[in-house]
Amino acid sequence: MILPHSVIRWGSSLLVGIPFVDHDHHEAVEMINRMAGADGAERLSLMRAFLGHCEEHFAREEEMMTRTGFFALDPHRQEHQRVLAEAQRVLTRLEMGSDETEYFREVLPQWFLEHRATMDYVTADFALEHGWHGEDQDPVKAAQ
Ligand SMILES: [Fe+2]
Ligand SMILES: [Fe+2]
């Protein structure tokens, strides 16, 4: 479903080929679109859930990078930490009553699209070429 304020349209062009990454990214896009169209208490509660989603997703990507010996683990992990710190600051401003609309309609969607197309894409490509062979190693499935 495309919401009136959708800022990212999910589609096959956003896939990276690792099931748990694509699953998490699809959820993230739905959350980003919902936050872009929400305001007030609804946006605040969605943002709290989104921060938790990001922490779990980043941990799964970092585990895959570690297990496949990814050459750019450190810069990728640092970028995750940077964006988490930024999101935490946005959450604090939301709690103080700011609407942060530019962040939700522009900064965050642009960051997601760029991060997926660069660091996540290269990470997934490397993992597939270095022994990451699918669902039996999938951190989402393994946790179930
Ligand atoms: Fe990701
Ligand atoms: Fe990432």
Side-chain angles (χ1 to χ4, degrees):
M1 182 173 96
I2 302 296
L3 301 169
H5 292 292
S6 282
V7 285
I8 302 174
R9 185 183 291 266
W10 179 258
S12 59
S13 66
L14 295 182
L15 298 174
V16 300
I18 305 273
F20 86 84
V21 178
D22 292 328
H23 168 271
D24 288 353
H25 285 179
H26 191 185
E27 286 184 344
V29 164
E30 291 183 340
M31 295 172 105
I32 290 168
N33 285 336
R34 279 206 297 277
M35 291 190 291
D39 56 15
E42 187 189 4
R43 179 176 271 174
L44 177 60
S45 114
L46 290 168
M47 184 58 171
R48 288 195 177 113
F50 181 68
L51 257 169
H53 181 274
C54 286
E55 284 170 354
E56 290 174 10
H57 171 63
F58 294 164
R60 286 196 272 271
E61 281 191 356
E62 288 161 18
E63 183 187 337
M64 179 174 73
M65 288 191 269
T66 300
R67 282 158 63 177
T68 57
F70 182 53
F71 60 91
L73 167 63
D74 286 343
H76 193 163
R77 183 161 48 201
Q78 283 162 15
E79 177 58 13
H80 286 167
Q81 289 167 349
R82 186 199 67 75
V83 85
L84 274 179
E86 178 183 65
Q88 188 61 56
R89 287 193 295 274
V90 169
L91 178 65
T92 300
R93 290 197 293 271
L94 284 178
E95 287 168 342
M96 294 189 305
S98 171
D99 63 22
E100 300 298 308
T101 292
E102 186 183 349
Y103 175 79
F104 290 106
R105 301 235 176 119
E106 293 176 29
V107 176
L108 180 60
Q110 282 170 13
W111 175 81
F112 172 83
L113 290 172
E114 189 188 326
H115 187 77
R116 189 222 65 87
T118 55
M119 289 189 175
D120 284 359
Y121 180 83
V122 173
T123 297
D125 209 42
F126 182 92
L128 289 168
E129 288 186 1
H130 290 80
W132 188 269
H133 49 82
E135 297 299 306
D136 57 324
Q137 290 183 309
D138 194 313
V140 172
K141 291 237 173 355
Q144 285 171 352

